[in-house]
Each structure stands twice: as structure tokens, then as C-alpha cells.
Amino acid sequence: MEDEKKRIVVVTGGSKGIGRCIELRFARPDTKIIFNHYDPDDEAANETIKLVEKEGGTAVGYKVNVASPSEVSDFFKKIMDEEGRIDVLVNNAGITMDAILVRMTEAAWDRVIDINLKGAFLCTQAAAKVMMKQRSGCIINIASVVGAMGNAGQANYVASKAGLIGLTKTAAKELASRGVRVNAIAPGFIDTEMTAKLSEKVKEAMVAQIPFKKMGQPEDVAGAAAFLASEDASYITGQVIHVNGGMYM
Ligand code: NAP
């Protein structure tokens, strides 16, 4: 199939974890996936491309810091020069830098807000301009359960995810008349590198709060993303889908 006929799916932070899994869920011959990542080591990104190709899809990955306005602008310019359209944007890039409030440094606050929230704003703004002209498109923001319920030790991360939910609802209201839908997914406690770095004690305490008594898998989040990007969700906008095993209701 010719590239120009393909559905263009852009995923930020797509080299591993939930982002990679969403890409694998979208991977099919009529879809081209364009993702970015931050680490200059391309090993995870190259592995992701191979996995997408194994599923019959196409993927390209670029090193882009979503917190950098110039890098984001160049990334979207490249996409438009090469593809001419964007059908789906998944704002997935995110980091944690945990500390209790009284010990949190300004640098840790700024870095998490810059990547998790400003990064999503910059990418949403760039994609929205394209999607408004197309009069179609779907934006999915990967928030977090803690953005709704709060979490001790994560003031910066929780603020970024609560902000992302507010951004989702506002963008949904502004873009609806142009046929663009904007929704969020709020994952609970998902088994990825981000949670692998937590101690066994912390993990056990988290799992104890989950009615299903187990962590979620990236596939659980990818399924919700596939639904939100599908025609089945064509009347859904401005919503937050919680994927958390009942951890927060
Ligand atoms: P992960 O395995 O650590 O993956 C994070 C991804 O974001 C990587 O591809 C990473 O690329 C990329 N990234 C980090 N900083 C970036 C930047 N400045 N610019 C571009 N890309 C950047 O994390 P994950 O668990 O899959 O999390 C994915 C999303 O889900 C995040 O937004 C996270 O907050 C959210 N979430 C996760 C959980 C969970 O339990 N895991 C729960 C709720 C929400 P590099 O490796 O190249 O830096």
C-alpha cells in the first residue's frame, strides 16, 4: 500500500512500555506509526520498530525532547513534509521524579511538569493545527489514576497528570466543532520500566489497594487507546477512561 494512503499515528515516548504497546496494537499494513523518545541510545527504539514490522506495520522513531518547543516543532514539520496528515496523536511521554513535598526540588518540579504537561501541550498544539484543517483527528492523552486521586510523594507528577486532564477537556471543547476528538486514559499501576524501579515493599502496598490484586499490563492501556481511536468512539470526547483494576472508582 502507498505510504500516502496510510493512517498516520504519532506516539510520544514510544520506544518502550505503554507507548510501545500502543504502537503494537495500532500496527497494521494500512498504518504508519511515527514515534519519539528521549534517550540517545536507539536500542529500545530499534527493537520497537522491529516488533511493529513483525505485526505487519511500519514505524519510524526520532529522538525528540517533547519539552523542547523547537524540537517538537521540527518533529511535526518533518511529519507534515513527509506524510501530509496526522490521524491520531497519543501524548504518552512521561517521567517521574518522586519526593515528598517538603523535600521536592524546584528542578524536579520543573522537569516533570515540562515533560509530562508542557510536552503534551506543545504536541497537542502542533497536531491540532493539522487536524483542524483536516476536519478530523483523534488525540489521546495518557494521564494517570493519581491525577484524579492524588498520591503522597508525587506532587509534581500528580499535578502534571491533573493538568493533562484539564488540557484534555479544554482541547475537546475547542476542537469538537472541527471534528477532532480529545480524550484521556488514566492508567492505574502498570507493569513497565517506570514501576519496575519501585521497591518490592512499595509495589506490594500498591497492589494491596487494587481490587483485582494485580498490576495492569501495558496491553490493558493499549486496548483502551485502540477503542478511543476507533469509529466505535466517534461520539466520545473530553472523557477520562480509567484503566486501573478498580483501584479508584
Ligand atoms: P516508560 O516505560 O518509562 O516509558 C516512557 C517513555 O517516555 C519512553 O519511551 C521514554 O523515552 C519517553 N520519554 C521520557 N522523557 C521524554 C522526553 N523528554 N521526550 C520524549 N520522550 C520521552 O514509562 P511507561 O510506564 O510506559 O509510561 C508511559 C506513560 O504512561 C507516561 O506518561 C506515564 O506517566 C503514564 N503512566 C504510567 C503508569 C505505570 O504504572 N507505568 C501509570 C499511569 C500512567 P526514553 O526511554 O528514550 O527516555
Side-chain angles (χ1 to χ4, degrees):
M1 186 175 284
E2 293 296 312
D3 256 15
E4 60 263 28
K5 289 185 189 144
K6 290 190 177 187
R7 184 189 199 202
I8 304 299
V9 176
V10 179
V11 182
T12 71
S15 60
K16 56 174 76 148
I18 290 170
R20 173 190 278 177
C21 197
I22 288 172
E23 287 151 14
L24 292 176
R25 185 64 198 251
F26 278 96
R28 19 185 296 178
D30 66 356
T31 300
K32 180 165 182 179
I33 291 151
I34 302 163
F35 67 90
N36 62 40
H37 64 100
Y38 185 64
D39 192 336
D41 179 355
D42 288 332
E43 203 183 318
N46 290 338
E47 178 63 18
T48 299
I49 292 168
K50 274 195 215 142
L51 290 168
V52 168
E53 286 170 355
K54 224 169 130 188
E55 294 297 316
T58 315
V60 284
Y62 297 100
K63 199 209 148 282
V64 175
N65 178 6
V66 292
S68 159
S70 61
E71 289 187 33
V72 169
S73 166
D74 291 350
F75 176 61
F76 280 92
K77 184 173 182 309
K78 194 167 178 56
I79 294 171
M80 288 310 290
D81 287 349
E82 287 175 10
E83 314 298 341
R85 62 180 295 111
I86 300 169
D87 296 290
V88 179
L89 166 68
V90 184
N91 282 309
N92 167 77
I95 62 159
T96 53
M97 286 180 81
D98 297 349
I100 58 166
L101 185 60
V102 291
R103 291 217 191 107
M104 185 167 285
T105 62
E106 187 182 345
W109 173 270
D110 285 347
R111 189 162 163 72
V112 169
I113 298 289
D114 273 0
I115 293 173
N116 298 9
L117 184 55
K118 189 171 94 177
F121 158 69
L122 293 171
C123 295
T124 297
Q125 195 178 50
K129 287 176 185 166
V130 173
M131 290 175 174
M132 283 168 82
K133 278 200 197 119
Q134 283 172 188
R135 301 214 160 243
S136 70
C138 167
I139 299 173
I140 300 170
N141 294 324
I142 306 300
S144 169
V145 64
V146 300
M149 65 187 274
N151 199 26
Q154 292 196 305
N156 50 0
Y157 183 77
V158 170
S160 74
K161 296 301 186 178
L164 193 50
I165 290 171
L167 173 65
T168 301
K169 292 179 182 179
T170 298
K173 287 191 174 182
E174 290 190 11
L175 302 178
S177 64
R178 310 298 177 94
V180 180
R181 297 183 301 106
V182 188
N183 291 288
I185 300 172
F189 191 40
I190 310 293
D191 189 8
T192 68
E193 263 184 38
M194 182 177 273
T195 45
K197 63 189 181 198
L198 299 171
S199 71
E200 282 309 311
K201 207 175 144 200
V202 170
K203 281 194 212 171
E204 277 168 26
M206 295 290 288
V207 168
Q209 294 178 49
I210 303 171
F212 278 156
K213 298 295 171 223
K214 60 176 185 182
M215 294 176 82
Q217 295 302 313
E219 287 76 7
D220 298 320
V221 181
F227 166 68
L228 283 174
S230 76
E231 274 302 305
D232 288 341
S234 61
Y235 197 56
I236 300 178
T237 198
Q239 304 304 308
V240 182
I241 296 194
H242 284 269
V243 180
N244 62 28
M247 182 178 172
Y248 174 79
M249 301 179 185

Coordinates of all heavy atoms in Angstrom, one line a residue, residues 12-19 36-41 64-67 91-96 111 115-116 142-145 157 161 186-195 215, ligand 1:
T12 N 4.1 9.9 21.3 CA 5.3 10.4 22.0 C 5.7 9.4 23.1 O 4.9 8.7 23.7 CB 5.0 11.8 22.7 OG1 4.1 11.6 23.8 CG2 4.4 12.8 21.7
G13 N 7.1 9.4 23.3 CA 7.6 8.4 24.3 C 7.2 7.0 23.9 O 6.8 6.2 24.7
G14 N 7.5 6.7 22.6 CA 7.0 5.4 22.1 C 8.1 4.3 22.0 O 7.9 3.3 21.3
S15 N 9.2 4.4 22.7 CA 10.3 3.4 22.5 C 10.1 2.2 23.4 O 10.8 1.2 23.2 CB 11.6 4.1 22.7 OG 11.7 4.6 24.0
K16 N 9.3 2.3 24.4 CA 9.2 1.2 25.4 C 7.8 1.3 26.1 O 7.0 2.2 25.8 CB 10.3 1.2 26.3 CG 10.4 2.6 27.1 CD 11.5 2.6 28.1 CE 12.9 2.7 27.6 NZ 13.8 3.4 28.5
G17 N 7.6 0.4 27.0 CA 6.5 0.4 27.9 C 5.1 0.6 27.3 O 4.8 -0.1 26.3
I18 N 4.3 1.5 27.8 CA 2.9 1.7 27.3 C 2.9 2.2 25.9 O 2.1 1.7 25.1 CB 2.2 2.6 28.3 CG1 1.9 1.9 29.7 CG2 0.8 3.1 27.7 CD1 1.4 2.8 30.8
G19 N 3.8 3.1 25.6 CA 3.9 3.7 24.2 C 4.1 2.6 23.2 O 3.4 2.5 22.2
N36 N 8.4 9.2 19.1 CA 9.7 9.8 19.5 C 10.1 9.2 20.9 O 9.3 8.5 21.5 CB 9.6 11.3 19.5 CG 8.6 11.9 20.5 OD1 8.4 11.3 21.5 ND2 7.9 12.9 20.0
H37 N 11.3 9.5 21.2 CA 11.8 9.0 22.5 C 12.9 10.0 22.9 O 13.3 10.8 22.1 CB 12.4 7.6 22.4 CG 13.5 7.4 21.5 ND1 14.8 7.4 21.9 CD2 13.6 7.4 20.1 CE1 15.6 7.3 20.9 NE2 14.9 7.3 19.8
Y38 N 13.5 9.9 24.1 CA 14.4 10.9 24.6 C 15.9 10.4 24.7 O 16.8 11.1 24.4 CB 13.9 11.3 26.0 CG 14.7 12.4 26.6 CD1 14.8 13.7 26.0 CD2 15.5 12.2 27.8 CE1 15.5 14.7 26.5 CE2 16.2 13.3 28.3 CZ 16.2 14.5 27.7 OH 17.0 15.5 28.2
D39 N 16.0 9.1 25.1 CA 17.3 8.5 25.3 C 18.1 8.5 24.0 O 17.6 8.0 23.0 CB 17.1 7.1 25.8 CG 18.4 6.5 26.4 OD1 19.5 6.9 26.0 OD2 18.3 5.6 27.2
P40 N 19.4 9.0 23.9 CA 20.1 9.0 22.7 C 20.5 7.6 22.2 O 20.7 7.3 21.0 CB 21.4 9.8 23.0 CG 21.3 10.2 24.4 CD 20.0 9.8 25.0
D41 N 20.4 6.6 23.2 CA 20.6 5.2 22.8 C 19.4 4.7 22.1 O 18.3 4.7 22.6 CB 20.9 4.4 24.1 CG 21.1 2.9 23.8 OD1 20.9 2.5 22.6 OD2 21.4 2.2 24.7
V64 N 13.5 13.0 20.2 CA 12.9 14.4 20.3 C 12.6 14.6 21.8 O 12.1 13.7 22.5 CB 11.5 14.4 19.6 CG1 10.8 15.8 19.9 CG2 11.7 14.2 18.1
N65 N 13.0 15.7 22.4 CA 12.6 16.0 23.7 C 11.3 16.8 23.6 O 11.2 17.9 23.2 CB 13.7 16.9 24.4 CG 13.3 17.3 25.8 OD1 12.3 16.9 26.3 ND2 14.1 18.2 26.4
V66 N 10.2 16.2 24.1 CA 8.9 16.8 24.0 C 8.8 18.1 24.8 O 7.9 18.9 24.5 CB 7.7 15.9 24.4 CG1 7.5 14.7 23.4 CG2 7.8 15.4 25.8
A67 N 9.7 18.3 25.7 CA 9.7 19.6 26.5 C 10.3 20.7 25.7 O 10.3 21.9 26.2 CB 10.4 19.4 27.8
N91 N -0.3 11.4 23.3 CA 0.6 12.0 24.2 C 0.9 11.1 25.4 O 0.2 11.0 26.3 CB 0.1 13.4 24.7 CG 0.1 14.4 23.7 OD1 1.2 14.7 23.1 ND2 -1.0 15.1 23.4
N92 N 2.0 10.3 25.2 CA 2.3 9.3 26.2 C 3.6 9.5 26.9 O 3.8 9.0 28.0 CB 2.4 7.9 25.4 CG 3.0 6.8 26.2 OD1 2.4 6.3 27.1 ND2 4.3 6.5 26.0
A93 N 4.5 10.4 26.4 CA 5.8 10.6 27.1 C 5.6 11.1 28.5 O 4.8 12.0 28.7 CB 6.7 11.6 26.3
G94 N 6.3 10.4 29.4 CA 6.2 10.9 30.8 C 7.3 10.3 31.7 O 7.9 9.3 31.4
I95 N 7.6 11.0 32.7 CA 8.6 10.6 33.7 C 8.1 10.8 35.1 O 7.1 11.6 35.3 CB 10.0 11.4 33.5 CG1 9.8 12.9 33.8 CG2 10.5 11.1 32.1 CD1 11.1 13.6 34.1
T96 N 8.8 10.2 36.1 CA 8.5 10.5 37.5 C 9.9 11.0 38.1 O 10.9 10.6 37.7 CB 8.1 9.3 38.3 OG1 9.0 8.2 38.1 CG2 6.7 8.8 37.9
R111 N 11.1 19.8 35.8 CA 11.4 18.8 34.8 C 10.1 17.9 34.5 O 9.8 17.7 33.4 CB 12.5 17.9 35.2 CG 13.0 17.0 34.2 CD 14.4 16.5 34.5 NE 14.7 15.3 33.6 CZ 14.9 15.4 32.3 NH1 14.9 16.5 31.7 NH2 15.2 14.3 31.6
I115 N 8.0 18.0 30.9 CA 7.9 16.8 30.0 C 6.5 16.3 30.0 O 5.9 16.1 28.9 CB 8.9 15.7 30.5 CG1 10.3 16.1 30.2 CG2 8.6 14.4 29.7 CD1 11.4 15.2 30.8
N116 N 5.9 16.1 31.1 CA 4.5 15.5 31.2 C 3.4 16.4 30.7 O 2.4 16.0 30.1 CB 4.2 15.0 32.6 CG 5.2 13.9 33.1 OD1 6.2 13.7 32.5 ND2 4.9 13.3 34.2
I142 N -2.2 10.3 27.8 CA -2.0 9.3 28.8 C -1.8 10.0 30.1 O -0.7 10.5 30.4 CB -0.9 8.3 28.5 CG1 -1.1 7.7 27.1 CG2 -0.8 7.2 29.5 CD1 -2.3 6.9 26.8
A143 N -2.8 10.0 30.9 CA -2.8 10.7 32.3 C -2.4 9.7 33.3 O -1.5 8.8 33.1 CB -4.1 11.3 32.6
S144 N -3.0 9.6 34.4 CA -2.8 8.6 35.5 C -3.9 8.7 36.5 O -4.5 9.7 36.8 CB -1.4 8.9 36.2 OG -1.3 8.1 37.3
V145 N -4.1 7.5 37.1 CA -5.1 7.5 38.2 C -4.7 8.5 39.3 O -5.6 9.1 39.9 CB -5.1 6.0 38.8 CG1 -3.8 5.6 39.4 CG2 -6.3 5.9 39.8
Y157 N 4.4 15.0 39.7 CA 3.7 14.0 38.7 C 2.2 14.2 38.8 O 1.6 14.2 37.7 CB 4.2 12.6 39.1 CG 3.7 11.5 38.2 CD1 4.3 11.3 36.9 CD2 2.7 10.7 38.5 CE1 3.9 10.3 36.1 CE2 2.2 9.7 37.7 CZ 2.9 9.5 36.5 OH 2.4 8.5 35.6
K161 N -0.4 15.3 35.8 CA -1.4 14.5 35.2 C -2.8 15.1 35.4 O -3.7 14.9 34.6 CB -1.3 13.1 35.9 CG 0.0 12.3 35.5 CD 0.2 12.1 34.0 CE 1.4 11.3 33.7 NZ 1.5 11.1 32.2
A186 N -6.5 7.2 32.0 CA -5.8 7.3 33.3 C -5.5 5.9 33.8 O -6.3 5.2 34.4 CB -6.7 8.0 34.3
P187 N -4.2 5.4 33.4 CA -3.9 4.1 33.9 C -3.6 4.0 35.4 O -3.2 5.0 36.0 CB -2.5 3.8 33.1 CG -2.4 4.9 32.1 CD -3.2 6.0 32.6
G188 N -3.8 2.9 35.9 CA -3.5 2.7 37.3 C -2.0 2.3 37.5 O -1.2 3.0 37.0
F189 N -1.8 1.1 38.1 CA -0.4 0.7 38.4 C -0.1 -0.4 37.3 O -0.5 -1.5 37.4 CB -0.5 0.1 39.8 CG 0.9 -0.2 40.4 CD1 1.9 0.6 40.2 CD2 1.0 -1.4 41.2 CE1 3.2 0.4 40.8 CE2 2.3 -1.6 41.7 CZ 3.3 -0.8 41.6
I190 N 0.8 0.1 36.4 CA 1.0 -0.8 35.2 C 2.5 -1.3 35.2 O 3.4 -0.5 35.5 CB 0.7 0.0 33.9 CG1 -0.7 0.7 33.9 CG2 0.9 -0.9 32.6 CD1 -1.9 -0.2 33.9
D191 N 2.6 -2.5 34.8 CA 3.9 -3.2 34.8 C 4.8 -2.7 33.6 O 4.8 -3.2 32.5 CB 3.7 -4.7 34.7 CG 4.9 -5.5 34.9 OD1 6.0 -4.9 35.3 OD2 4.9 -6.7 34.7
T192 N 5.7 -1.7 33.9 CA 6.6 -1.2 32.9 C 7.9 -0.8 33.6 O 8.0 -0.9 34.9 CB 6.1 0.1 32.2 OG1 6.1 1.2 33.2 CG2 4.7 -0.1 31.6
E193 N 8.9 -0.2 32.9 CA 10.2 0.2 33.5 C 9.9 1.3 34.6 O 10.6 1.4 35.5 CB 11.1 0.8 32.4 CG 12.1 -0.2 31.9 CD 13.1 0.5 30.9 OE1 13.5 1.6 31.1 OE2 13.4 -0.3 30.0
M194 N 8.9 2.1 34.3 CA 8.6 3.2 35.3 C 8.3 2.6 36.6 O 8.7 3.2 37.7 CB 7.4 4.0 34.7 CG 7.0 5.2 35.6 SD 5.7 6.2 34.9 CE 6.6 7.3 33.9
T195 N 7.5 1.5 36.7 CA 7.1 1.0 38.0 C 8.2 -0.1 38.5 O 8.2 -0.4 39.7 CB 5.7 0.4 37.9 OG1 5.6 -0.4 36.7 CG2 4.7 1.4 37.9
M215 N -1.1 -6.0 39.2 CA -0.8 -4.8 38.4 C -1.5 -5.0 37.0 O -1.7 -6.1 36.6 CB 0.7 -4.7 38.1 CG 1.5 -4.5 39.4 SD 3.3 -4.5 39.0 CE 3.5 -2.8 38.3
Ligands
NAP1 P1 8.4 4.1 30.5 O1 8.5 2.7 30.3 O2 9.4 4.8 31.4 O3 8.5 4.9 29.1 C1 8.5 6.3 29.0 C2 8.6 6.7 27.5 O4 8.7 8.2 27.5 C3 10.0 6.2 26.9 O5 9.8 5.9 25.6 C4 10.9 7.5 27.1 O6 11.9 7.5 26.1 C5 9.9 8.6 26.8 N1 10.3 9.9 27.3 C6 10.7 10.2 28.5 N2 11.1 11.5 28.5 C7 10.9 12.0 27.3 C8 11.0 13.3 26.7 N3 11.5 14.3 27.3 N4 10.7 13.4 25.3 C9 10.3 12.3 24.6 N5 10.1 11.1 25.2 C10 10.4 11.0 26.5 O7 7.0 4.6 31.1 P2 5.5 4.0 30.9 O8 5.2 3.3 32.2 O9 5.4 3.2 29.7 O10 4.7 5.3 30.9 C11 4.1 5.8 29.7 C12 3.1 6.9 30.2 O11 2.1 6.3 31.0 C13 3.7 8.0 31.0 O12 3.1 9.3 30.6 C14 3.3 7.7 32.4 O13 3.2 8.8 33.2 C15 2.0 7.0 32.2 N6 1.5 6.1 33.3 C16 2.3 5.0 33.6 C17 1.8 4.2 34.6 C18 2.5 3.0 35.1 O14 2.2 2.4 36.1 N7 3.6 2.5 34.4 C19 0.6 4.6 35.3 C20 -0.1 5.7 35.0 C21 0.4 6.5 33.9 P3 13.4 7.2 26.6 O15 13.5 5.9 27.3 O16 14.2 7.2 25.3 O17 13.8 8.4 27.5

